[in-house]
Amino acid sequence: AQKAGETSFHKYVNDDSDLQGALIAMNPKNGQVKALIGGKDYEQSPFNRATQAVRQPGSTIKPILYYAALENGFTPSTMLKSEATTFSFEDGREAYTPRNFNSQYANKEITLAQAIALSDNVYAVKTHLFLGENVLKKTAEKFGIESEVEAIPSAALGTSGVRVIEMVNAYGRIANGGKAIKPVFIKKVENHKGEVIYTAPSFKEKTLNSDQTFVLTSMLTGIFNRDLNGYASVTGSTVASQLSRQYAGKSGTTETDSWMIGYTPDLVAGVWTGYDQGKQLTNPTERTYAKKIWAAFMEESLQESTFDVFQPISKDVVALHINPESGKIATKQCPVAILTYFVKGTEPTEYCTLHLDEEEAPNNEKQEEKNEKKPWYKRLIPFL
């Protein structure tokens, strides 16, 4: 794994520029660190960017936010409007206007599943403010993040600095179903007599719900699924063709940072690239390096893995084919149907009517009218 990391890393982060980076990989089942790169040349700079650098995580923070959303009634089919939005506050704070990449918006409601796949920023901030700004901060602590996540609107877009090792460890907790692992660098220590004087801890405490983590994992596979393309392409589309198995993950980009973190049940890895002094990533190609390094590393490291696709291990998780445009159960007329997982009891019960023939549509109009008359919070959280 270390060799695979160094090969993929130095293919993109080389001596031709001042660009730096970090890579760290762990076994999510026990926290054991499998590979670590803290920079491109230790002799030039011994600063370990994987464990020491504090950088803005950008959209890689969103899975933590959306786990909190799942705990508070959201489902993959929860719909919010993606449009240019300015948020105003009654407590005298300055208004906040988040923007999507290239200022592209759906200008209509989209599902949570698609919002993750496209990395919609407006959806994220709406979710963050709906839950309350302290919820993300507290949820990050459950994920093992020790760096402080500020309780501010922009925290939903990853403006609070974290370390790469913290983020990879957090994703490891999703990958293993909620077990509270921590990075393990040393398995055991023996003295000169061969007596074991230190053994790495075994992790048994669970801080996350395993059903919700599986639903989140299922949604995080969507960044590589082109069937979820909408007003923009899914964010993992540039590396999807390089992947031989199903992965869950999330990319993130700020003006100065590029990230990719993803996993299978056997391996979780994260890559960060950027400049030490916070220089902006003005070259569009540089913004793709983290994804490319991650994809090459995962494929090389998992050559002997038998893992293929994520499968639920709980009877409390159900699967339905959902039309991403409506968030409802897909019919034969729907052009796209995405296999989507829900915690039992939260799955949609209505069928998509957007693609029915005109003769069939009137049978569903009464139900649509009934839904439109529901209070906004009951439309947001279906089972209320």
Side-chain angles (χ1 to χ4, degrees), residues 243-255:
L243 307 178
S244 61
R245 56 175 53 82
Q246 194 175 52
Y247 292 95
K250 187 74 188 72
S251 59
T253 306
T254 73
E255 291 185 349

Side-chain angles (χ1 to χ4, degrees), residues 67-139:
Y67 175 82
L70 291 173
E71 280 196 317
N72 285 276
F74 281 57
T75 79
S77 284
T78 298
M79 303 192 80
L80 294 174
K81 196 168 185 180
S82 164
E83 61 181 349
T85 306
T86 296
F87 296 90
S88 301
F89 305 95
E90 295 179 352
D91 56 5
R93 285 185 293 170
E94 185 177 349
Y96 178 54
T97 306
R99 289 181 174 82
N100 282 351
F101 181 67
N102 285 339
S103 295
Q104 292 180 303
Y105 306 92
N107 291 314
K108 62 178 181 180
E109 290 188 336
I110 62 173
T111 64
L112 172 55
Q114 192 171 44
I116 290 177
L118 304 182
S119 202
D120 191 283
N121 287 338
V122 173
Y123 195 112
V125 175
K126 284 184 176 181
T127 302
H128 180 48
L129 296 178
F130 175 81
L131 296 176
E133 292 160 281
N134 280 311
V135 171
L136 176 57
K137 176 183 175 70
K138 293 177 180 177
T139 305

